[in-house]
Structures are given as C-alpha cells and as structure tokens.
Amino acid sequence: MAGYNILYVDDEPVTHRIQQHLGEDFSIIECTDEATYKRLLQQNKTIYHGAIIDYRLPRQLFPSFDSGQALTSNLHNRFPNMAIIAFSGYLHSGSEEREISEWLVAGANFFWHRSEDPYREEVVSKVRHVLLAGARRVEDWNRLLEPVDLFEFPKLAKSLNHLERIASLLSPVLILGETGSGKELVARSIHKLSPRREKPLAIINCAA
C-alpha cells in the first residue's frame, strides 16, 4: 500500500505512466476542477504529502485561480511543508527562466518540464527525491503536533480539574507560563474538552 498521498491537479486525468514511474511509494489523488480541489482539502483526515500541479489550468474549471501558479501559491500557504512539483509541456519561448522562477517564488520546489522525454531516469529520480523529502517533512511535522493527553499524568490532576469548566465557555482563554512550561498542551486539552473539539485547532507562532 502506498504511504504518501500526492495531489495531482490537472484538467486531464492522471496517466498510468505517471503512477508507474513514480512508483508504489506514492498514491496519486486526482483533482480535475476547483470544486474537487476544495472538497479534497476539506477532508481533514486525509494527509497530503505533496502535489503535482499543471502549468495551465482552464479558467472555466478553476475559476478562482487564473493559473496553476496561483493555485500553487494557495496550496503552499496552506501546507508549507509539502513538496510541490510544477509541470508543463509548454513554456513561452525566450521566457522559460522567468516563468520557472515565478513558479519557485510561488512555492514550487521543482519544475518538471515535460515537453521532451519527460520520463528520463534522471528527471524522474529528481521528482521522486523532491516528493520524498517533502513527504518526510510533513510526517515529521505531524509527529510534532501529535496531541498529548495531560490527564494521563496523575500529578497534574489537581491543576487540571478546572479545565472542563473553562472549556465550556465561549470566552477567550489566556494561558500564562514560561517557555517550555506546556502552555500549548494546556490549550490542546481545553480544545479537546470543548464543544468545538470536532473543529480544527489552529496553532499560530506569534513570535515567528
């Protein structure tokens, strides 16, 4: 079973050849229009480890994005750890360097030029390397975010008895403490006990 989910954004269905060359490490999930793109990203239980995005996305199918570059920027902002491969079989003559640079600025990690022999061994090897590196970043990040149940620690029980009452409130909660004292773990515990437990918990590093 493939371990890494790769979002494949193109107006045409994914070809068997792409899956064959990428290998069994990756499971390609098709996305051929904007509605599918939004639906797939709303599935919180699915972890995407990377993406392959077409250079040209028809406006009628992706009305909110005037190019694959705009969608790349959107995806990179949402999932900065995943690897994004941009691909195209066509670039404007004389402006290839500028166009590829713009893709990299938008968040792509590699440009897969598929106009001439796109499945050369060295090219496919680079694509796989970039996707694997991104997949491992995603996995490492997710491990860091795995929740810890504070209630598993008996010595903290007295201090945590009031969390359930706090969690039922709609008011903001201010948690104070020195760096490394466990403020984020307390925040996660409050979220876990609250009526909003099924909603995503957004972690923002204000200092960064």
Side-chain angles (χ1 to χ4, degrees), residues 9-150:
V9 185
D10 190 4
D11 59 310
E12 297 180 359
V14 64
T15 65
H16 173 70
R17 196 174 182 192
I18 292 175
Q19 177 69 79
Q20 185 180 39
H21 278 84
L22 289 183
E24 296 181 356
D25 292 327
F26 305 103
S27 177
I28 296 181
I29 300 172
E30 282 186 359
C31 176
T32 55
D33 56 62
E34 185 174 334
T36 303
Y37 174 75
K38 291 180 176 179
R39 176 176 56 79
L40 289 173
L41 295 192
Q42 287 171 354
Q43 295 175 354
N44 293 328
K45 293 183 179 180
T46 302
I47 297 174
Y48 295 103
H49 299 90
I52 300 175
I53 301 176
D54 189 11
Y55 179 83
R56 287 183 166 184
L57 296 177
R59 193 64 179 268
Q60 64 270 26
L61 295 177
F62 294 86
S64 299
F65 305 100
D66 56 5
S67 66
Q69 201 175 96
L71 190 141
T72 293
S73 180
N74 176 267
L75 195 60
H76 176 68
N77 289 335
R78 298 182 67 167
F79 306 104
N81 292 302
M82 72 155 52
I84 300 178
I85 304 289
F87 75 86
S88 176
Y90 172 82
L91 288 176
H92 294 96
S93 179
S95 62
E96 293 93 340
E97 289 187 8
R98 177 183 58 79
E99 292 181 51
I100 292 175
S101 296
E102 289 174 353
W103 271 91
L104 298 177
V105 169
N109 300 97
F110 184 77
F111 196 94
W112 188 0
H113 205 321
R114 299 203 336 217
S115 59
E116 297 178 6
D117 192 14
Y119 298 106
R120 293 196 314 272
E121 183 177 346
E122 63 268 28
V123 175
V124 174
S125 177
K126 288 180 181 178
V127 170
R128 284 179 46 81
H129 176 78
V130 171
L131 289 176
L132 282 171
R136 288 163 185 155
R137 282 198 306 271
V138 172
E139 290 288 292
D140 290 343
W141 180 250
N142 287 339
R143 274 194 291 272
L144 286 174
L145 295 182
E146 284 180 0
V148 175
D149 190 351
L150 294 182

